[in-house]
Amino acid sequence: MLIILYILLFFLYCIHTKAEKTICHMMGESKYPLLSKNGDFIIGTLFAIHSKETLPSFEFRQKPQRLFCSSVNLIDFRMAQTMIFAIEEINTNESLLPNVSIGYRIYDTCGSRLSSMSATMALMNGQEFAAGDRCNGQSPIHAIIGETESSATVILSRTTGPFKIPVISPSATCECLSNRKDYPSFFRTIASDYHQSRALAYIVKHFGWSWVGAVNSDNDYGNNGMAIFLKTAQEEGICVEYSVKFHRTEPEKLQKVVETIKKGTAKVIVAFLSQVEMGNLFDQLSDKNITNFQMIGVEAWITSESLMIPNSFHVLGGSLGFAVRKIDIEEFADYVTKKFWHTAFPCLQREGHSSQYGLNCSRYQDLLVLKNYNEDVTEQRYSSNVYKAVYAVAYSLHSLLQCTKKGGCEKSLTIQPQQVVEALKKINSTIKTGDHVWFDSSGAVVAQYEVVNWQQDLIGSIQFKPVGYYDASLPPDQRFVLNTENIIWAGGQLEKPRSVCSESCPPGTRKAAQKGRPVCCYDCIPCAEGEISNETDSNNCKQCPGEYWSNAEKDKCVLKAIEFLSFTENMGIVLVFFSLFGVGITALVAILFYSKKDTPIVKANNSELSFLLLFSLTFGFLCSLTFIGRPTEWSCMLRHTAFGITFVLCISCVLGKTIVVLMAFKATLPGSNVMKWFGPAQQRLSVLAFTLIQVLICVLWLTISPPFSYKNMKYYHEKIILECSLGSIIGFSALLGYIGLLAVLCFILAFLARTLPDNFNEAKFITFSMLIFCAVWLTFIPAYVSSPGKFTVAVEIFAILASSFGLLFCIFGPKCYIILFKPEQNTKQHVMGKNLNHVEK
């Protein structure tokens, strides 16, 4: 086992020794930088100074020609100029790297992944090898600044990552690059899209747009940024009608995106696109005259000079978006038109030996056009990020070389790229522009954006007017500020566009989601009775408290209407009228009887009971009045007890008269002395006894569980029925049952006496009156149970009045008729005639 281990170690040693002796050979032709300068320490740079690349013919019959790049990308060219400007500024700075010079290698990637990879390998390997050079595994550069697009930066960082070469991007914002596990040596002088994507959702919510479309570049930048936006939009209650994407090399997908936008109903579009894709989309929208869409943009295109063409405002006018904060670099505007071309530009340098590489000036001809142009410099927002990136590397080297203002730097020290990475993590300095250079734990800087608005000035030129800002370094409630008064909207309109799937639901309604559609698409359903919503776009209606009900608009709870049978309403007036009418008729009958008290018709069947009956009927009519009006604790106890005692008194009198009729007939028979057992004293005593029993029932009822005022909210939801609760059902049943028992007994006795022979047999009328009384109260029970609210009370009053009128008219009506219209029959002989004849026979 040990022998095998020794053999394995020896084999590895031989391989290592052979590798050290291997001479490095460049495979293929060297790729030279577009701009370069030697120095003690070299910063590599990858910028897409040209945006179009022409591929050679790949026929595999001859060696492929070089790639040809065209169409100058002004933004990246200005970044390259900024980098050279910053390096020259540092090289002349006596306090920063005093005796050390920084060089640069600036490669043009032409916006191509193929060229980008080729340039990356050239940066890490160097351009030439002298005879006898050996592979030492060391990179000729100490840091790379670039790339400008996220997808290209991902490739660059993954390629350089194993070699621990620091990469600092001025404009790659993809949140995916914040993963320190995958990209441990990546830094950027721009904020991650995490903040911008969330801020896009905040700006949409701020303006009340709940229905938006979303378009993004089909690359790392667009996909990651849009994913964060969609997640935040969902959290903020924003619905996305469609989310489509395309790549700059996919014209078919672009056509589908345009059709989706055209067919959509959302008037606001969040465009998370790179500058190139936005240019492609703009061309299609302009060609098809698709306008009046409010564009919400990102820093990649919102301030792009390439989109500022004469007809762009009718498509992109009023666009809102987040732009990198603009910082003025002193003297840079003059530098790009003067010193740069004479000191850094290869083909205009006065010294003919300025470059050691093969120089072909034809590749620089399209850049010479920009020699005297600097009007765009003030709007170049990424230039300050490049400026900070260069100074970040410089301060890191300054720290690693232990530089001092007097003693200079320790140039003998060997600096590895890994050391630069660690130094960048610790950097915390302020540069000439006033910016603070430092990196957070993810290698990014604090998110600080301007909110810009596409506007036109008086001569029709497009202006990027700041209308707010977003600063992640501030407290959450102060991060986002907008000045909406200065905003021009889509198409140059002054009125903010609306973009909703469904209009807001007003108070009094609630939102009901439409099946199969996003939550922002809903119907407005009126709140149910007794429920309200006092806010716009309520998801649910709130139930009103017990004694409250919704108003007609369903936006406020109001006190429920309290219902009881009052004296002022029509039904109450009618019942009061009949009650008083009954009292009046009873009084007239009493007066009539009192004036004819000595006549036989009045004296018959105990006139004393007749007057007592009239007295109780008067109270019977009056007790119905206690059922009208607002129920109180005392009125509830009074109405039932007064009704019970009064009607027992009435029935007791009628029962006494019925017994008198029977006794009177028995007394006319020979040898009968039955009347002495039921004389006036016994009649009074029977009435008193029957009444006292009812009084006892009422006293027990009121003592144990008396009636009380009760708010009934069960029968009607929209109003309160103020009624008298019986308290004890048994007590009320006993009261009615006792009245019914007496009434039935009276009816039976009167029915037995109906055939007694006399001219005026009062038993017939008592029978009929009891028949009416029983019929009324038998029908009262189901009517009472089924009648709602105040009608329950009305039914009870009707039963009292109907039974009272029945007793009054049936018992006293025939007597009054004889007294008033048949006075000749008001004689003893006529009243007792038939009885006497019957006895004589």
Side-chain angles (χ1 to χ4, degrees), residues 30-82:
S30 299
K31 182 177 178 67
Y32 297 109
L34 185 69
L35 301 169
S36 65
K37 180 180 180 179
N38 291 325
D40 296 324
F41 295 91
I42 305 297
I43 299 177
T45 306
L46 298 176
F47 287 141
I49 296 175
H50 293 85
S51 59
K52 291 184 181 178
E53 182 181 57
T54 303
L55 296 175
S57 174
F58 293 108
E59 297 180 355
F60 304 102
R61 295 178 181 176
Q62 60 183 5
K63 185 178 180 180
Q65 298 177 353
R66 286 182 179 272
L67 304 177
F68 176 73
C69 297
S70 61
S71 186
V72 176
N73 181 358
L74 185 58
I75 294 177
D76 282 38
F77 181 56
R78 292 297 187 215
M79 285 195 278
Q81 289 179 311
T82 304

Coordinates of all heavy atoms in Angstrom, one line a residue, residues 30-82:
S30 N -2.6 36.7 -32.0 CA -2.9 37.5 -30.8 C -4.0 38.5 -31.1 O -4.2 39.0 -32.2 CB -1.6 38.3 -30.5 OG -0.5 37.4 -30.2
K31 N -4.8 38.8 -30.0 CA -5.8 39.8 -30.1 C -5.4 41.0 -29.4 O -5.0 40.9 -28.2 CB -7.2 39.3 -29.5 CG -8.3 40.2 -29.6 CD -9.6 39.7 -29.0 CE -10.7 40.6 -29.1 NZ -11.1 40.9 -30.5
Y32 N -5.3 42.1 -30.1 CA -4.7 43.3 -29.5 C -5.8 44.2 -29.0 O -6.9 44.3 -29.5 CB -3.8 44.0 -30.5 CG -2.6 43.2 -31.0 CD1 -2.6 42.7 -32.3 CD2 -1.6 43.0 -30.1 CE1 -1.5 41.9 -32.7 CE2 -0.5 42.2 -30.5 CZ -0.4 41.7 -31.8 OH 0.6 40.9 -32.2
P33 N -5.5 45.0 -27.9 CA -6.5 45.9 -27.4 C -6.7 47.1 -28.4 O -5.8 47.4 -29.2 CB -5.8 46.4 -26.1 CG -4.4 46.2 -26.3 CD -4.2 45.0 -27.2
L34 N -7.9 47.7 -28.2 CA -8.2 48.9 -29.0 C -7.4 50.1 -28.6 O -6.9 50.8 -29.4 CB -9.7 49.1 -29.0 CG -10.2 50.3 -29.8 CD1 -10.1 49.8 -31.3 CD2 -11.6 50.6 -29.5
L35 N -7.3 50.2 -27.2 CA -6.5 51.3 -26.6 C -5.7 50.7 -25.5 O -6.2 49.8 -24.8 CB -7.4 52.4 -26.1 CG -8.4 53.0 -27.1 CD1 -9.4 53.9 -26.3 CD2 -7.7 53.9 -28.1
S36 N -4.4 51.2 -25.4 CA -3.6 50.6 -24.3 C -2.5 51.5 -23.9 O -2.2 52.5 -24.6 CB -3.0 49.3 -24.8 OG -2.1 49.5 -25.9
K37 N -2.0 51.2 -22.8 CA -0.8 52.0 -22.2 C -0.1 51.1 -21.2 O -0.8 50.5 -20.4 CB -1.3 53.3 -21.6 CG -0.2 54.2 -21.0 CD -0.7 55.5 -20.4 CE 0.4 56.3 -19.9 NZ 0.0 57.6 -19.3
N38 N 1.2 51.2 -21.2 CA 1.9 50.4 -20.2 C 2.0 51.1 -18.9 O 1.8 52.3 -18.8 CB 3.3 50.1 -20.8 CG 3.3 49.2 -22.0 OD1 2.5 48.2 -22.0 ND2 4.2 49.4 -22.9
G39 N 2.2 50.3 -17.9 CA 2.4 50.8 -16.5 C 2.9 49.8 -15.6 O 3.0 48.6 -15.9
D40 N 3.2 50.2 -14.3 CA 3.6 49.2 -13.3 C 2.5 48.2 -13.0 O 2.8 47.0 -12.7 CB 4.0 50.0 -12.1 CG 5.2 50.9 -12.3 OD1 6.1 50.5 -13.1 OD2 5.2 52.0 -11.7
F41 N 1.3 48.7 -13.0 CA 0.2 47.8 -12.8 C -0.8 48.0 -13.9 O -1.1 49.2 -14.3 CB -0.5 48.0 -11.4 CG 0.4 47.7 -10.3 CD1 1.3 48.7 -9.7 CD2 0.5 46.4 -9.7 CE1 2.1 48.4 -8.7 CE2 1.3 46.1 -8.7 CZ 2.2 47.1 -8.2
I42 N -1.4 47.0 -14.4 CA -2.3 47.0 -15.6 C -3.7 46.8 -15.2 O -4.0 45.8 -14.5 CB -1.9 46.1 -16.7 CG1 -0.4 46.3 -17.0 CG2 -2.8 46.2 -17.9 CD1 -0.1 47.6 -17.6
I43 N -4.6 47.6 -15.6 CA -6.1 47.4 -15.5 C -6.6 47.0 -16.8 O -6.5 47.8 -17.8 CB -6.8 48.7 -15.0 CG1 -6.2 49.1 -13.6 CG2 -8.3 48.4 -14.9 CD1 -6.9 50.3 -13.1
G44 N -7.2 45.8 -16.9 CA -7.9 45.4 -18.1 C -9.3 45.9 -18.2 O -10.0 46.1 -17.2
T45 N -9.7 46.1 -19.5 CA -11.1 46.7 -19.6 C -11.8 46.0 -20.8 O -11.1 45.8 -21.9 CB -11.0 48.2 -19.9 OG1 -10.3 48.8 -18.8 CG2 -12.4 48.8 -19.9
L46 N -13.1 45.7 -20.7 CA -13.9 45.2 -21.7 C -15.1 46.1 -21.9 O -16.0 46.2 -21.0 CB -14.3 43.8 -21.4 CG -13.2 42.7 -21.2 CD1 -13.8 41.4 -20.8 CD2 -12.4 42.5 -22.5
F47 N -15.2 46.8 -23.0 CA -16.3 47.7 -23.4 C -16.8 47.4 -24.8 O -15.9 47.1 -25.7 CB -15.9 49.2 -23.3 CG -15.7 49.6 -21.9 CD1 -14.7 50.5 -21.6 CD2 -16.6 49.2 -20.8 CE1 -14.5 51.0 -20.3 CE2 -16.4 49.7 -19.5 CZ -15.4 50.6 -19.3
A48 N -18.1 47.5 -25.0 CA -18.6 47.3 -26.4 C -18.6 48.6 -27.1 O -19.6 49.3 -27.3 CB -20.0 46.7 -26.3
I49 N -17.4 49.0 -27.5 CA -17.2 50.3 -28.1 C -17.9 50.4 -29.5 O -18.4 51.4 -29.9 CB -15.7 50.7 -28.2 CG1 -15.2 50.8 -26.8 CG2 -15.5 51.9 -29.0 CD1 -13.7 51.0 -26.7
H50 N -18.0 49.2 -30.1 CA -18.9 49.0 -31.3 C -20.0 48.1 -30.9 O -19.8 47.2 -30.1 CB -18.1 48.5 -32.5 CG -17.0 49.5 -33.0 ND1 -15.8 49.6 -32.4 CD2 -17.1 50.4 -34.0 CE1 -15.1 50.5 -33.1 NE2 -15.9 51.0 -34.0
S51 N -21.1 48.3 -31.6 CA -22.3 47.5 -31.2 C -22.7 46.4 -32.2 O -23.6 45.6 -31.9 CB -23.5 48.4 -31.0 OG -23.8 49.1 -32.2
K52 N -22.0 46.4 -33.4 CA -22.4 45.4 -34.4 C -21.1 44.7 -34.8 O -20.1 45.3 -35.0 CB -23.1 46.0 -35.6 CG -24.5 46.6 -35.3 CD -25.1 47.1 -36.5 CE -26.5 47.7 -36.2 NZ -27.1 48.3 -37.4
E53 N -21.3 43.4 -35.0 CA -20.2 42.5 -35.4 C -20.5 41.7 -36.6 O -21.6 41.2 -36.7 CB -19.8 41.6 -34.2 CG -18.6 40.7 -34.5 CD -18.4 39.8 -33.4 OE1 -19.3 39.0 -33.0 OE2 -17.3 39.8 -32.8
T54 N -19.6 41.8 -37.6 CA -19.8 41.0 -38.8 C -19.0 39.7 -38.8 O -17.7 39.8 -38.7 CB -19.5 41.8 -40.1 OG1 -20.2 43.0 -40.1 CG2 -19.8 41.0 -41.3
L55 N -19.6 38.6 -38.8 CA -18.9 37.3 -38.8 C -18.3 37.0 -40.1 O -19.0 37.2 -41.2 CB -19.8 36.2 -38.3 CG -20.4 36.4 -36.8 CD1 -21.4 35.3 -36.6 CD2 -19.3 36.3 -35.8
P56 N -17.1 36.4 -40.2 CA -16.6 35.9 -41.4 C -17.2 34.7 -41.9 O -18.0 34.0 -41.2 CB -15.1 35.7 -41.1 CG -15.1 35.3 -39.6 CD -16.3 36.1 -39.0
S57 N -16.9 34.3 -43.1 CA -17.4 33.0 -43.6 C -16.7 31.8 -43.0 O -15.4 31.8 -43.0 CB -17.2 33.0 -45.2 OG -17.6 31.8 -45.7
F58 N -17.5 30.9 -42.5 CA -16.9 29.7 -41.9 C -17.1 28.5 -42.9 O -18.0 27.7 -42.7 CB -17.5 29.4 -40.6 CG -17.2 30.4 -39.5 CD1 -18.2 31.3 -39.1 CD2 -16.0 30.5 -38.9 CE1 -17.9 32.3 -38.1 CE2 -15.7 31.4 -38.0 CZ -16.7 32.3 -37.5
E59 N -16.2 28.4 -43.9 CA -16.3 27.4 -44.9 C -15.3 26.3 -44.6 O -15.3 25.2 -45.2 CB -16.0 27.9 -46.3 CG -17.1 28.9 -46.7 CD -16.9 29.4 -48.1 OE1 -15.8 29.1 -48.7 OE2 -17.7 30.1 -48.6
F60 N -14.4 26.5 -43.6 CA -13.4 25.5 -43.2 C -12.5 25.1 -44.3 O -12.0 24.0 -44.3 CB -14.1 24.3 -42.5 CG -15.0 24.7 -41.4 CD1 -16.3 24.7 -41.6 CD2 -14.4 25.0 -40.1 CE1 -17.2 25.0 -40.5 CE2 -15.3 25.3 -39.1 CZ -16.7 25.4 -39.3
R61 N -12.2 26.0 -45.2 CA -11.3 25.8 -46.3 C -10.0 26.6 -46.2 O -9.0 26.3 -46.8 CB -11.9 26.1 -47.7 CG -13.1 25.2 -48.0 CD -13.7 25.6 -49.3 NE -14.8 24.7 -49.7 CZ -15.6 24.9 -50.7 NH1 -15.4 25.8 -51.6 NH2 -16.6 24.0 -50.9
Q62 N -10.1 27.7 -45.4 CA -9.0 28.5 -45.1 C -9.1 29.1 -43.7 O -10.2 28.9 -43.1 CB -9.0 29.7 -46.1 CG -10.2 30.6 -46.1 CD -10.2 31.6 -47.2 OE1 -9.3 31.7 -48.0 NE2 -11.2 32.5 -47.2
K63 N -8.1 29.7 -43.3 CA -8.1 30.3 -41.9 C -9.1 31.4 -41.9 O -9.1 32.3 -42.7 CB -6.7 30.9 -41.6 CG -6.5 31.4 -40.2 CD -5.1 31.8 -40.0 CE -4.9 32.3 -38.6 NZ -3.5 32.8 -38.3
P64 N -10.0 31.4 -40.8 CA -11.0 32.5 -40.7 C -10.4 33.9 -40.6 O -9.4 34.0 -39.9 CB -11.8 32.1 -39.5 CG -11.5 30.7 -39.3 CD -10.1 30.4 -39.8
Q65 N -11.0 34.8 -41.2 CA -10.6 36.2 -41.1 C -11.0 36.8 -39.8 O -11.8 36.2 -39.1 CB -11.2 37.0 -42.3 CG -10.7 36.5 -43.7 CD -11.4 37.3 -44.8 OE1 -12.3 38.2 -44.5 NE2 -11.0 37.1 -46.0
R66 N -10.4 38.0 -39.5 CA -10.8 38.6 -38.2 C -12.2 39.1 -38.3 O -12.8 39.4 -39.4 CB -9.9 39.8 -38.0 CG -8.5 39.5 -37.6 CD -7.7 40.7 -37.3 NE -6.3 40.4 -36.9 CZ -6.0 40.2 -35.6 NH1 -6.9 40.3 -34.7 NH2 -4.8 40.0 -35.3
L67 N -12.8 39.2 -37.1 CA -14.2 39.7 -37.0 C -14.2 41.2 -37.3 O -13.2 41.9 -36.9 CB -14.8 39.5 -35.6 CG -14.8 38.0 -35.2 CD1 -15.3 37.9 -33.7 CD2 -15.7 37.2 -36.1
F68 N -15.2 41.7 -37.9 CA -15.3 43.1 -38.3 C -16.4 43.8 -37.4 O -17.5 43.3 -37.4 CB -15.6 43.3 -39.7 CG -15.7 44.8 -40.1 CD1 -14.7 45.6 -40.2 CD2 -17.0 45.3 -40.4 CE1 -14.8 47.0 -40.6 CE2 -17.2 46.6 -40.8 CZ -16.1 47.5 -40.9
C69 N -16.0 44.9 -36.7 CA -17.0 45.6 -35.8 C -17.3 47.0 -36.4 O -16.5 47.6 -37.0 CB -16.3 45.8 -34.5 SG -16.0 44.3 -33.6
S70 N -18.6 47.4 -36.3 CA -19.0 48.6 -36.8 C -20.1 49.2 -35.8 O -20.5 48.6 -34.8 CB -19.7 48.4 -38.2 OG -20.8 47.5 -38.1
S71 N -20.5 50.4 -36.2 CA -21.6 51.2 -35.4 C -21.1 51.5 -34.0 O -21.2 50.7 -33.1 CB -22.9 50.4 -35.4 OG -23.9 51.1 -34.7
V72 N -20.5 52.7 -33.9 CA -19.9 53.1 -32.6 C -21.0 53.2 -31.5 O -22.1 53.8 -31.7 CB -19.2 54.5 -32.7 CG1 -18.7 55.0 -31.4 CG2 -18.1 54.4 -33.7
N73 N -20.7 52.6 -30.4 CA -21.6 52.7 -29.2 C -21.0 53.8 -28.3 O -20.0 53.7 -27.6 CB -21.6 51.4 -28.5 CG -22.5 51.4 -27.2 OD1 -23.1 52.4 -26.9 ND2 -22.5 50.3 -26.5
L74 N -21.7 55.0 -28.4 CA -21.2 56.2 -27.8 C -21.0 56.1 -26.3 O -20.1 56.6 -25.7 CB -22.0 57.4 -28.1 CG -21.5 58.8 -27.7 CD1 -20.2 59.1 -28.2 CD2 -22.5 59.9 -28.1
I75 N -22.0 55.4 -25.7 CA -22.0 55.3 -24.2 C -20.7 54.5 -23.7 O -20.0 55.0 -22.8 CB -23.2 54.5 -23.7 CG1 -24.5 55.4 -24.0 CG2 -23.1 54.2 -22.2 CD1 -25.8 54.7 -23.6
D76 N -20.4 53.4 -24.4 CA -19.2 52.6 -24.0 C -17.9 53.3 -24.3 O -16.9 53.2 -23.6 CB -19.3 51.2 -24.6 CG -20.3 50.3 -23.9 OD1 -21.3 50.8 -23.4 OD2 -20.0 49.1 -23.7
F77 N -17.9 54.1 -25.5 CA -16.8 54.8 -25.8 C -16.5 55.9 -24.8 O -15.3 56.1 -24.4 CB -16.9 55.4 -27.2 CG -15.7 56.2 -27.7 CD1 -14.5 55.6 -27.8 CD2 -15.8 57.5 -28.1 CE1 -13.4 56.3 -28.2 CE2 -14.7 58.2 -28.5 CZ -13.5 57.6 -28.6
R78 N -17.5 56.6 -24.3 CA -17.3 57.6 -23.3 C -16.8 56.9 -22.0 O -16.0 57.5 -21.3 CB -18.6 58.3 -23.0 CG -19.1 59.2 -24.1 CD -18.1 60.3 -24.4 NE -18.7 61.2 -25.4 CZ -18.0 61.9 -26.3 NH1 -16.7 61.7 -26.4 NH2 -18.6 62.7 -27.1
M79 N -17.2 55.7 -21.7 CA -16.7 55.0 -20.5 C -15.2 54.7 -20.7 O -14.5 54.8 -19.7 CB -17.6 53.8 -20.2 CG -18.9 54.0 -19.7 SD -19.7 52.6 -18.9 CE -20.4 51.8 -20.4
A80 N -14.8 54.3 -21.9 CA -13.4 54.1 -22.1 C -12.6 55.4 -21.9 O -11.5 55.3 -21.3 CB -13.2 53.5 -23.5
Q81 N -13.1 56.5 -22.4 CA -12.5 57.7 -22.3 C -12.4 58.1 -20.8 O -11.4 58.7 -20.3 CB -13.2 58.8 -23.1 CG -13.0 58.7 -24.6 CD -13.8 59.8 -25.3 OE1 -15.0 60.0 -25.0 NE2 -13.1 60.5 -26.2
T82 N -13.5 57.8 -20.1 CA -13.5 58.2 -18.6 C -12.4 57.4 -17.9 O -11.7 57.9 -17.0 CB -14.8 57.9 -18.0 OG1 -15.9 58.6 -18.7 CG2 -14.9 58.3 -16.5

